[in-house]
Amino acid sequence: MNRTASIKDVANQAGVAVGTVSNVLNYPDRVSERTKERVLKAIDDLGFVRNDAARQLRAGHSRTIGLIVLDVGNPFFTSVVRAAEDAAALQGSAVLLGDSGHNESRESNYIDLFQEQRVQGLLISPVGDVTARLNVLRERGVPTVLVDRLADDAMFSSVSVDDDEGGYLAARHLLDIGRRRLAFVGGPLSIHQVADRLRGAQRAVKEESDATLEVLDSEGQSVLAGRGIGNRLVERPAKNLPDGIFCANDLLALGVMQSLTMMHTLRIPEDIALIGYDDIDFSVSAVVPLSSIRQPTEAIGRTAIELLTEELESQQVRHRAVVFTPELVVRQSTAGAEASL
Amino acid sequence: MNRTASIKDVANQAGVAVGTVSNVLNYPDRVSERTKERVLKAIDDLGFVRNDAARQLRAGHSRTIGLIVLDVGNPFFTSVVRAAEDAAALQGSAVLLGDSGHNESRESNYIDLFQEQRVQGLLISPVGDVTARLNVLRERGVPTVLVDRLADDAMFSSVSVDDDEGGYLAARHLLDIGRRRLAFVGGPLSIHQVADRLRGAQRAVKEESDATLEVLDSEGQSVLAGRGIGNRLVERPAKNLPDGIFCANDLLALGVMQSLTMMHTLRIPEDIALIGYDDIDFSVSAVVPLSSIRQPTEAIGRTAIELLTEELESQQVRHRAVVFTPELVVRQSTAGAEASL
DNA sequence: CACTGAAGTTGAATCGTTTCATTGTTACGA
DNA sequence: TCGTAACAATGAAACGATTCAACTTCAGTG
């Protein structure tokens, strides 16, 4: 178990100077064919592998981008992450992934960690109010792009989806198919995506004088949390039930659906129409295929990297806020029997 | 945008030597209270953040573990990754995640990358035959633990689940509820998990003289691939249809389910019973709640880290192969009307 | 034949941290 | 007062890569 070879060992083995080995690695054109061959042979013989820590130390920064998301288990973020990784790879950067799990202290830990790693830049879907910290970061030359959150573009670049509009679309759709006693499932409302979607829904409901919107606060956005809400609903007398439910994401909606359909006394969509948010892959194959609001996840991930690259390349501070528009996807959970996939 | 402060700057500011600052950071007991305060104040004033590259360079290795999985989009791996991250965090290591996407060259790139990062060790769910490379790694002091793949424990430590047994359980269950014309959906068979599950299924089918097993090769393990297979199935005359289908994972099963139920001509489980593999969260809320084979994902992730830690701490080469046993979960897709959640 | 410039090559300096042998300081018992 | 132990603090060396000014070769030119 001998120490791994360094560039110096390679230089000795090949009978050249360390600078030459470095040139072979980084600027092959500067080196003669003969020398290059000898060096490459030595590299191979010794099984030399560059030490990235040393490169980084010298360079003063890594070739790495930090990405902090709220929940990697959520297919929405999984998809965003993948897109960001691909986009980063194209320009030769790697992505360090952090999962805050909606937890401020974990979020803060990841910011610390990424700072120690000297990431080139940071993409973050923030939990708490981290603007102060992010400003400090930027002053030190580490730009940040906010993901899935609109930012004042005087402060930061951001990529987001219009959650208010998405909420409006969802509720408007329920109203359009004749539902009037709506319920919103999601929480805690401190999560801004949840709050925005609710606000949009309320806007739509206000357009119909005879419509009401009940808010059912959930603990988190998981399938399990949805099942909890659903179980409480089925215990109500039928007349107190909503006839249209809008869930802040598909996981919740699938959970609610599970509970509602379990006893076979309630029908979706006849008794209760149900719509989710995110349009994850599994929604199509739900008990009742789930209507949803689709967000352009690939575009979000890709754009986030693009905005970051812009900031990295131009030293003058010029921020942009890109806002995507979500899209209604109607499936059986909000349609009559005539509806198809 | 001034250069970030170094330990030297802190030392100047506090009027002490660099070694002392380092001691404050790493061995606070060695430093007097007075000095410690001064140094901490200087750190705060300058906003000093340790440069991890420099630490690593000096230490000769990182505090990082590499983890390469086949597909992060697959909830099975998402869950394993999360467990591994948590276990690693407990012992002060971070996890670098790589997604090979079943692609040998991407896998190879990640191994290179992780080597440059000087990871302490590697957890990998391998695509190709990488034993040769992994042996080289180990000789250089980077131990590897194979994940979701059984290894000869003379060679490597490994954590796996008995896929043959899982396949047997699934097929045996279909046979037990009276099905005889079985089909296996999954592919390509070069993926060893798929091949093992098939082998187990074949073993079960051989136990019944009047049972048959048809193999439907799929392109990948996604919902989409499953839908493709399903679409081909529904075009068959009813008498040529299988009466029990075992899919190599739940994503495939959900896709197949989607296609089969779309036309409302086939009933699950009456006409065709369906069982998947992995028991992902979404299976409960499928059109017809999906029977599946559950794997202990948290235990897998945790154990992988434990085995790696063992190898890191004992210099003598002592490998272990941990094999978990999967578990049958019966839901409606293979049960009569009497079945419940 | 001397001179020029291009192409190759060299090796010391540098990045920021940790380590550790050395030096300085203090307290206490003899 | 001296000796010594315990404790604090110091600062040069080392980690491994990259950079760059300086040097060597050598072909081409006048």
Side-chain angles (χ1 to χ4, degrees):
Chain A
M1 197 154 79
N2 19 2
R3 200 176 44 75
T4 57
S6 78
I7 209 174
K8 210 166 175 176
D9 302 323
V10 174
N12 285 339
Q13 173 94 353
V16 299
V18 290
T20 303
V21 177
S22 177
N23 281 335
V24 169
L25 260 21
N26 300 297
Y27 308 93
D29 306 347
R30 293 189 192 164
V31 182
S32 75
E33 212 49 53
R34 257 178 50 78
T35 317
K36 202 188 304 180
E37 268 172 37
R38 277 223 313 278
V39 171
L40 289 176
K41 171 131 192 339
I43 287 179
D44 202 49
D45 290 351
L46 296 173
F48 165 77
V49 177
R50 263 174 160 112
N51 183 326
D52 196 60
R55 301 184 74 185
Q56 234 173 264
L57 174 57
R58 181 65 233 247
H61 62 89
S62 67
R63 298 186 325 293
T64 299
I65 291 166
L67 169 55
I68 304 179
V69 298
L70 295 172
D71 176 12
V72 276
N74 184 329
F76 168 76
F77 283 112
T78 313
S79 176
V80 172
V81 169
R82 199 191 298 238
E85 278 177 345
D86 290 347
L90 281 181
Q91 52 158 67
S93 298
V95 168
L96 285 183
L97 182 62
D99 180 2
S100 70
H102 288 282
N103 178 323
E104 290 198 37
S105 83
R106 291 191 53 154
E107 172 175 64
S108 184
N109 283 340
Y110 273 115
I111 298 180
D112 288 343
L113 183 65
F114 289 168
Q115 241 186 305
E116 290 190 6
Q117 304 288 341
R118 298 291 191 269
V119 294
Q120 295 182 282
L122 188 61
L123 308 181
I124 183 172
S125 186
V127 185
D129 184 10
V130 282
T131 30
R133 293 204 61 183
L134 299 184
N135 273 321
V136 173
L137 270 188
R138 187 187 25 228
E139 274 162 27
R140 303 223 183 100
V142 183
T144 298
V145 171
L146 300 190
V147 175
D148 201 27
R149 169 163 229 150
L150 180 63
D152 176 354
D153 63 4
M155 301 269 287
F156 293 102
S157 284
S158 65
V159 199
S160 58
V161 183
D162 189 338
D163 281 313
D164 182 287
E165 176 67 11
Y168 178 84
L169 280 177
R172 188 64 252 173
H173 173 59
L174 290 175
L175 296 167
D176 285 347
I177 60 170
R179 308 304 162 118
R180 285 298 176 270
R181 298 192 313 283
L182 305 193
F184 173 85
V185 176
L189 289 173
S190 55
I191 299 181
H192 85 102
Q193 286 93 334
V194 176
D196 286 357
R197 290 168 197 178
L198 171 57
R199 190 163 343 106
Q202 286 166 331
R203 185 156 57 88
V205 170
K206 281 213 191 84
E207 294 176 353
E208 305 291 331
S209 57
D210 57 342
T212 60
L213 180 68
E214 174 186 8
V215 176
L216 300 171
D217 204 9
S218 72
E219 289 173 10
Q221 318 296 316
S222 62
V223 174
L224 217 64
R227 226 187 299 176
I229 299 279
N231 286 338
R232 273 167 32 207
L233 278 176
V234 293
E235 285 171 6
R236 295 192 186 176
K239 56 179 57 170
N240 284 346
L241 281 173
D243 58 6
I245 300 180
F246 166 37
C247 294
N249 81 4
D250 283 357
L251 301 180
L252 277 172
L254 292 175
V256 169
M257 184 183 292
Q258 245 169 260
S259 302
L260 296 188
T261 54
M262 189 136 52
M263 308 306 290
H264 300 286
T265 56
L266 287 168
R267 291 164 306 163
I268 296 177
E270 292 82 352
D271 300 316
I272 301 183
L274 184 64
I275 184 168
Y277 208 106
D278 285 348
D279 191 29
I280 65 178
D281 284 349
F282 306 102
S283 299
V284 193
S285 31
V287 181
V288 183
L290 183 68
S291 296
S292 194
I293 304 292
R294 177 180 300 158
Q295 311 196 72
T297 49
E298 299 83 16
I300 294 170
R302 191 172 1 97
T303 309
I305 295 286
E306 280 167 14
L307 290 179
L308 189 65
T309 312
E310 277 180 21
E311 301 227 355
L312 283 169
E313 286 175 354
S314 81
Q315 47 282 66
Q316 60 191 358
V317 203
R318 192 84 204 81
H319 304 303
R320 287 206 293 146
V322 175
V323 180
F324 289 102
T325 306
E327 187 188 343
L328 173 67
V329 179
V330 178
R331 297 206 183 84
Q332 213 177 314
S333 73
T334 61
E338 75 286 358
S340 73
L341 191 77
Chain B
M1 197 153 80
N2 20 1
R3 202 175 43 76
T4 58
S6 78
I7 210 174
K8 209 165 175 178
D9 302 322
V10 174
N12 285 341
Q13 172 94 353
V16 299
V18 290
T20 304
V21 178
S22 176
N23 280 335
V24 170
L25 260 21
N26 302 297
Y27 308 94
D29 306 346
R30 293 189 192 163
V31 181
S32 75
E33 212 50 53
R34 257 178 49 77
T35 319
K36 203 189 304 183
E37 270 172 35
R38 276 223 314 280
V39 170
L40 290 176
K41 170 130 190 342
I43 286 178
D44 202 48
D45 290 350
L46 297 174
F48 166 76
V49 177
R50 263 177 161 108
N51 183 327
D52 197 60
R55 300 186 74 187
Q56 234 173 264
L57 174 58
R58 179 67 232 238
H61 63 88
S62 67
R63 299 187 325 292
T64 299
I65 291 166
L67 169 54
I68 304 180
V69 300
L70 295 172
D71 176 11
V72 276
N74 184 330
F76 168 76
F77 283 113
T78 314
S79 177
V80 171
V81 169
R82 199 191 300 238
E85 278 176 345
D86 290 348
L90 281 181
Q91 52 157 65
S93 298
V95 168
L96 284 184
L97 181 62
D99 180 2
S100 70
H102 288 283
N103 177 324
E104 291 199 36
S105 82
R106 290 190 54 153
E107 171 176 64
S108 184
N109 284 340
Y110 273 115
I111 298 180
D112 288 343
L113 182 66
F114 289 169
Q115 242 187 304
E116 290 190 7
Q117 305 287 340
R118 297 291 190 270
V119 294
Q120 295 183 282
L122 187 61
L123 309 181
I124 182 171
S125 186
V127 185
D129 184 11
V130 283
T131 30
R133 294 203 60 181
L134 300 182
N135 274 321
V136 173
L137 271 186
R138 183 180 36 219
E139 274 161 30
R140 304 223 182 99
V142 182
T144 299
V145 172
L146 300 191
V147 177
D148 199 29
R149 167 163 230 152
L150 180 63
D152 176 354
D153 63 3
M155 302 271 284
F156 294 102
S157 284
S158 64
V159 199
S160 58
V161 183
D162 189 338
D163 282 312
D164 182 287
E165 176 68 11
Y168 177 85
L169 281 177
R172 188 65 253 171
H173 173 59
L174 291 175
L175 295 166
D176 285 347
I177 60 171
R179 307 304 160 119
R180 284 299 175 269
R181 298 192 313 283
L182 305 193
F184 172 85
V185 176
L189 290 173
S190 56
I191 299 180
H192 84 102
Q193 286 93 335
V194 175
D196 286 358
R197 290 167 197 178
L198 172 57
R199 191 165 340 107
Q202 286 167 331
R203 186 156 57 87
V205 169
K206 280 214 192 85
E207 295 175 353
E208 304 292 332
S209 58
D210 57 342
T212 60
L213 180 69
E214 172 186 10
V215 177
L216 300 170
D217 203 9
S218 72
E219 290 173 10
Q221 318 295 316
S222 62
V223 174
L224 216 63
R227 225 185 300 172
I229 299 280
N231 286 337
R232 273 168 33 206
L233 278 176
V234 292
E235 285 171 6
R236 294 192 187 176
K239 55 178 58 171
N240 286 345
L241 283 172
D243 59 6
I245 300 180
F246 166 37
C247 294
N249 82 3
D250 283 357
L251 301 181
L252 276 172
L254 292 174
V256 168
M257 184 184 292
Q258 243 170 262
S259 302
L260 296 187
T261 54
M262 187 137 52
M263 307 307 289
H264 302 286
T265 56
L266 288 168
R267 292 163 308 162
I268 296 177
E270 292 83 350
D271 301 315
I272 302 183
L274 184 64
I275 184 168
Y277 207 107
D278 285 348
D279 190 30
I280 65 178
D281 283 350
F282 305 103
S283 299
V284 192
S285 31
V287 180
V288 182
L290 183 68
S291 296
S292 194
I293 304 292
R294 179 180 298 160
Q295 310 195 72
T297 49
E298 300 80 18
I300 295 171
R302 190 171 4 94
T303 309
I305 295 287
E306 280 168 13
L307 290 179
L308 190 65
T309 310
E310 277 181 20
E311 302 228 354
L312 283 170
E313 287 176 353
S314 82
Q315 48 282 66
Q316 61 192 358
V317 203
R318 191 87 202 82
H319 304 301
R320 287 206 295 145
V322 175
V323 180
F324 290 103
T325 305
E327 188 187 344
L328 173 67
V329 180
V330 179
R331 298 205 183 85
Q332 212 176 315
S333 72
T334 61
E338 74 285 357
S340 73
L341 190 77

